[in-house]
Amino acid sequence: MKCSKCGKKAVFHRKYEGSYLCRNHFVKSIESKAKKTIRKGKMIERGDRIAFALSGGKDSSAVLYLVNKVLGERKDLEFFAISIDEGIPRYRKESLKIAGKLCKKLGIKHHVFSFRKEFGEDLSEKVRKIRKSDAWEGTACTYCGLARRWLLNKKARELGANKIAFGMNLDDEIQGIVMDYLRGDLVRLSRMGGEPIVRNELFVPRIKPFREIPEKEIGLYAILIGLEIHEDECPYLEGPRFRVRDFLNDLEAESPGTKFSVLKTFEKLLPSVRGIVKKESVRIVKCSECGEPSSQRVCKTCELWGK
Amino acid sequence: MKCSKCGKKAVFHRKYEGSYLCRNHFVKSIESKAKKTIRKGKMIERGDRIAFALSGGKDSSAVLYLVNKVLGERKDLEFFAISIDEGIPRYRKESLKIAGKLCKKLGIKHHVFSFRKEFGEDLSEKVRKIRKSDAWEGTACTYCGLARRWLLNKKARELGANKIAFGMNLDDEIQGIVMDYLRGDLVRLSRMGGEPIVRNELFVPRIKPFREIPEKEIGLYAILIGLEIHEDECPYLEGPRFRVRDFLNDLEAESPGTKFSVLKTFEKLLPSVRGIVKKESVRIVKCSECGEPSSQRVCKTCELWGK
């Protein structure tokens, strides 16, 4: 097939738009979509110092590459990257190497922090030690996600960032929305919007420039711009999110555009969700153990990781 | 296992409640749950004349049986049943026979109306004629559901009913909610609440006494009370609803209580959904062709069935 814009050989068929795109127009369309999302959500503003959460996977690598490409020349903005070493044998070592290489290539400062150093143990040790005990809650992702977010937020703040950029794509966003809905977690749902939310001076607001771009397209973008990507799946991955993912993929295959529709419906409901949450409002305090922000006296990270 | 209430042999393990129930306590629990749903949603009130939409399947048979059992003695209430013969070879003939037998047994007046008589053709003919043509929209369920609802509403109203009772169970309700959400159809979503909605004098408000009871439990209830049930699946069934069904069943198996959580979250959001819909409000007019209520000049049933 030929590119709907220029007639050159198409590399991608964007079904929900009914268009075919050549390499060049595909790359351009991703970059202009991300720019639009950034503008619409007021994600990046004059004077921002942005920490990129960089795992070395396609999404976080691509978002660093893209934002640096389109805004890297701006003198009033500052970008650096933070990677977290959870201590997942092989898996993370490989991806950290790739993350480091990308930062070097782009001239971006790269900070690496580890669970071992911060919490005294690796994720793999933690899982081995308590998975079969009564203390075990949820899945490995519960322990990892919690500690990773805690560490990213703390380090980004200490390094002077006023925003953290994540690689989350449209698929990640709507999976999260559906999961929060299924769990009835309106508080989390209320934070799933497009603009950075200032909750408290201890929380660094998050931005997700790819939240309106399907995962598949970010994958192709990363390939087309020649990024070296760490493609393995985390060996600990488990839980209902994967059912949600498959379900949404099936529906999208059947009716192209469903994924956008889920995000759009959510955005219509978001002001109301926020209204409901505000009424039940959650107070943020400093955790009495670690001093990081928490909705309880002792934060969940200290509870599960014994900080 | 033994019944958590009386120690007799249990026939059911209600995982989301952590209880085991014997035949007797299971039947009682279904009846008291349905009564609670009816009371909470103000579904049945003094002087009501209720048309039961009766297909002969487990849900519609059980709802007629149950409501008649618990409220049939009330002199101020009047119940009758309406069945629709869509003209689905074998499938519907069998179920209509069962529906007729149930009404006879309960002493309930039974009315049967057919697509053939009302629209000049059966569903099977309609599907055969236009499935492969350009005029074809959606699935057989689109044509059937539309015409069935049109006919039920018209006949119930003409027969003097002020409410129509449906057998929809918890699974049906949340499948509908998820489907409407996925399609971004806030108007339909706004009508998925528990209480009968008076939209217009031409629409007979609907009630769904089983909307908080899981499908599996209605099936067991129907068996335990000895209802003769038509169990075949409609040969025309297709579409995304079945993906949604399987997805929700998988999640419920993994985390018992998920189905209730979906309904509960929906009910928290419902007032806001209604607020949004009201702003975009839909005007109901009389269809210029058939005189039935419609949001357009010509209603969708007349458009698709050429009335």
Side-chain angles (χ1 to χ4, degrees):
Chain A
M1 293 300 297
K2 290 183 171 176
C3 176
S4 315
K5 306 224 176 208
C6 70
K8 281 196 190 141
K9 190 173 162 253
V11 298
F12 188 67
H13 177 200
R14 192 174 271 156
K15 283 189 194 147
Y16 58 83
E17 234 180 48
S19 68
Y20 290 85
L21 296 165
C22 68
R23 187 202 166 286
N24 191 24
H25 280 109
F26 177 81
V27 167
K28 270 194 186 156
S29 82
I30 295 297
E31 292 170 355
S32 83
K33 273 188 172 205
K35 279 197 274 184
K36 217 168 121 184
T37 303
I38 291 170
R39 240 190 340 263
K40 197 171 62 177
K42 298 197 175 81
M43 291 184 182
I44 301 182
E45 292 167 307
R46 177 164 286 281
D48 275 352
R49 186 171 158 80
I50 301 178
F52 284 78
L54 181 66
S55 70
K58 65 178 188 324
D59 302 296
S60 65
S61 298
V63 82
L64 173 60
Y65 173 92
L66 187 152
V67 174
N68 186 62
K69 178 177 172 186
V70 302
L71 295 168
E73 299 291 306
R74 288 252 309 256
K75 293 278 175 268
D76 63 312
L77 298 175
E78 210 180 316
F79 302 148
F80 60 90
I82 298 180
S83 295
I84 305 291
D85 182 359
E86 305 94 348
I88 303 171
R90 277 190 304 278
Y91 172 75
R92 186 52 77 214
K93 203 174 156 198
E94 175 69 14
S95 73
L96 284 176
K97 217 164 66 189
I98 292 174
K101 272 160 75 179
L102 176 63
C103 289
K104 203 166 163 194
K105 190 174 137 195
L106 302 178
I108 297 272
K109 185 135 183 54
H110 187 211
H111 304 268
V112 180
F113 303 99
S114 74
F115 279 16
R116 162 159 300 284
K117 185 141 181 249
E118 292 296 326
F119 303 108
E121 54 189 347
D122 281 349
L123 181 67
S124 56
E125 291 169 285
K126 184 83 181 171
V127 171
R128 205 177 322 117
K129 250 174 55 192
I130 70 158
R131 175 166 260 164
K132 284 186 176 110
S133 78
D134 285 346
W136 182 253
E137 282 188 29
T139 64
C141 303
T142 313
Y143 287 83
C144 182
L146 202 65
R148 194 160 15 88
R149 283 189 300 269
W150 181 95
L151 195 49
L152 262 174
N153 182 68
K154 182 176 197 287
K155 295 301 178 182
R157 193 186 64 229
E158 290 172 359
L159 289 164
N162 70 327
K163 272 164 198 164
I164 305 179
F166 286 90
M168 272 93 151
N169 53 53
L170 174 66
D171 295 63
D172 296 322
E173 280 292 275
I174 61 172
Q175 283 160 24
I177 288 167
V178 172
M179 295 284 298
D180 290 341
Y181 182 99
L182 291 172
R183 289 197 198 102
D185 192 339
L186 296 186
V187 173
R188 279 180 89 108
L189 206 54
S190 73
R191 294 183 199 135
M192 294 292 279
E195 73 298 350
I197 304 176
V198 184
R199 288 166 60 195
N200 176 299
E201 75 283 2
L202 295 171
F203 278 120
V204 183
R206 300 172 188 183
I207 61 172
K208 298 177 263 184
F210 287 168
R211 73 189 285 275
E212 301 182 41
I213 305 179
E215 173 160 35
K216 207 161 66 175
E217 298 191 25
I218 298 299
L220 180 58
Y221 175 77
I223 292 168
L224 293 179
I225 58 174
L227 283 183
E228 185 184 352
I229 294 296
H230 181 242
E231 288 190 67
D232 297 353
E233 276 213 332
C234 174
Y236 288 116
L237 273 188
E238 57 178 325
R241 178 176 281 264
F242 305 99
R243 284 196 197 290
V244 175
R245 178 189 63 188
D246 295 345
F247 167 68
L248 292 168
N249 281 340
D250 288 348
L251 289 173
E252 177 72 24
E254 232 166 50
S255 326
T258 300
K259 289 181 182 176
F260 286 110
S261 168
V262 172
L263 189 68
K264 239 175 95 182
T265 306
F266 167 70
E267 288 182 343
K268 280 195 189 176
L269 295 177
L270 185 57
S272 315
V273 174
R274 291 196 172 142
I276 295 168
V277 169
K278 213 166 183 180
K279 270 184 255 163
E280 302 174 358
S281 102
V282 187
R283 216 167 60 92
I284 302 290
V285 295
K286 275 194 185 189
C287 166
S288 64
E289 301 288 317
C290 68
E292 289 299 303
S294 170
S295 58
Q296 267 129 8
R297 200 179 57 80
V298 176
C299 79
K300 196 78 189 167
T301 303
C302 287
E303 190 193 321
L304 293 188
W305 284 85
K307 282 239 2 143
Chain B
M1 293 301 298
K2 290 182 171 175
C3 176
S4 317
K5 306 224 175 206
C6 69
K8 282 196 189 141
K9 191 175 162 250
V11 298
F12 188 67
H13 177 201
R14 193 173 270 157
K15 282 189 193 145
Y16 56 85
E17 234 179 48
S19 68
Y20 289 86
L21 296 165
C22 68
R23 187 203 166 285
N24 191 22
H25 280 109
F26 177 81
V27 167
K28 270 195 187 156
S29 82
I30 296 296
E31 291 170 356
S32 83
K33 273 189 171 205
K35 278 197 274 184
K36 216 168 122 185
T37 303
I38 290 171
R39 242 191 338 265
K40 197 173 63 178
K42 299 196 174 81
M43 290 183 183
I44 300 183
E45 292 168 308
R46 177 164 285 282
D48 275 352
R49 186 171 158 80
I50 302 177
F52 285 78
L54 181 65
S55 70
K58 66 178 187 324
D59 302 295
S60 64
S61 297
V63 83
L64 174 60
Y65 174 92
L66 188 152
V67 174
N68 186 61
K69 178 177 172 186
V70 303
L71 295 168
E73 299 292 305
R74 287 254 307 258
K75 293 277 175 269
D76 63 311
L77 298 176
E78 210 181 317
F79 302 148
F80 61 90
I82 298 180
S83 295
I84 304 292
D85 181 0
E86 305 93 347
I88 303 171
R90 280 190 301 279
Y91 172 75
R92 186 52 77 212
K93 202 173 159 201
E94 175 69 13
S95 73
L96 283 176
K97 216 163 66 189
I98 292 174
K101 271 160 74 179
L102 176 64
C103 289
K104 202 166 165 195
K105 189 174 138 195
L106 301 178
I108 297 272
K109 185 136 182 52
H110 187 213
H111 304 268
V112 181
F113 302 98
S114 73
F115 278 15
R116 163 158 300 284
K117 183 138 183 252
E118 291 297 325
F119 304 108
E121 54 189 347
D122 280 350
L123 181 66
S124 56
E125 291 169 286
K126 184 82 180 172
V127 171
R128 205 177 323 118
K129 250 174 53 192
I130 70 158
R131 177 165 256 165
K132 284 186 175 109
S133 78
D134 285 346
W136 182 253
E137 281 189 31
T139 64
C141 302
T142 314
Y143 287 83
C144 182
L146 202 64
R148 193 160 14 87
R149 284 189 300 270
W150 181 95
L151 194 49
L152 262 174
N153 183 68
K154 184 175 196 287
K155 295 299 178 184
R157 194 186 64 230
E158 289 173 359
L159 289 164
N162 71 327
K163 273 164 198 164
I164 305 178
F166 286 90
M168 271 92 153
N169 53 52
L170 174 65
D171 295 63
D172 296 323
E173 279 294 274
I174 62 172
Q175 283 161 25
I177 288 167
V178 172
M179 294 285 297
D180 290 342
Y181 183 98
L182 291 171
R183 289 197 198 102
D185 192 339
L186 296 185
V187 173
R188 279 180 90 108
L189 206 54
S190 73
R191 293 182 199 137
M192 294 291 280
E195 74 297 349
I197 304 175
V198 183
R199 288 164 62 195
N200 176 297
E201 75 284 0
L202 295 171
F203 278 119
V204 183
R206 300 173 190 182
I207 62 173
K208 297 176 264 185
F210 287 169
R211 73 189 285 275
E212 301 183 41
I213 305 179
E215 172 159 37
K216 206 161 66 174
E217 298 190 26
I218 298 299
L220 180 57
Y221 175 76
I223 291 168
L224 293 179
I225 56 174
L227 282 184
E228 185 185 353
I229 294 295
H230 181 241
E231 287 191 67
D232 297 353
E233 275 213 331
C234 173
Y236 288 116
L237 273 187
E238 58 176 324
R241 178 176 279 264
F242 305 98
R243 283 193 196 291
V244 175
R245 178 188 66 186
D246 295 345
F247 168 67
L248 292 168
N249 281 340
D250 288 348
L251 289 173
E252 177 72 24
E254 232 167 50
S255 325
T258 299
K259 289 180 183 176
F260 287 110
S261 168
V262 172
L263 190 67
K264 238 174 97 182
T265 307
F266 168 69
E267 287 182 344
K268 280 194 190 176
L269 295 177
L270 184 56
S272 314
V273 173
R274 290 195 172 144
I276 294 169
V277 169
K278 211 166 185 181
K279 269 186 255 163
E280 300 173 0
S281 101
V282 188
R283 216 166 60 94
I284 303 289
V285 295
K286 277 195 183 187
C287 166
S288 65
E289 301 289 317
C290 67
E292 289 299 304
S294 169
S295 58
Q296 267 129 8
R297 199 178 58 80
V298 176
C299 78
K300 196 76 189 169
T301 303
C302 287
E303 191 193 320
L304 293 189
W305 285 86
K307 283 243 356 147

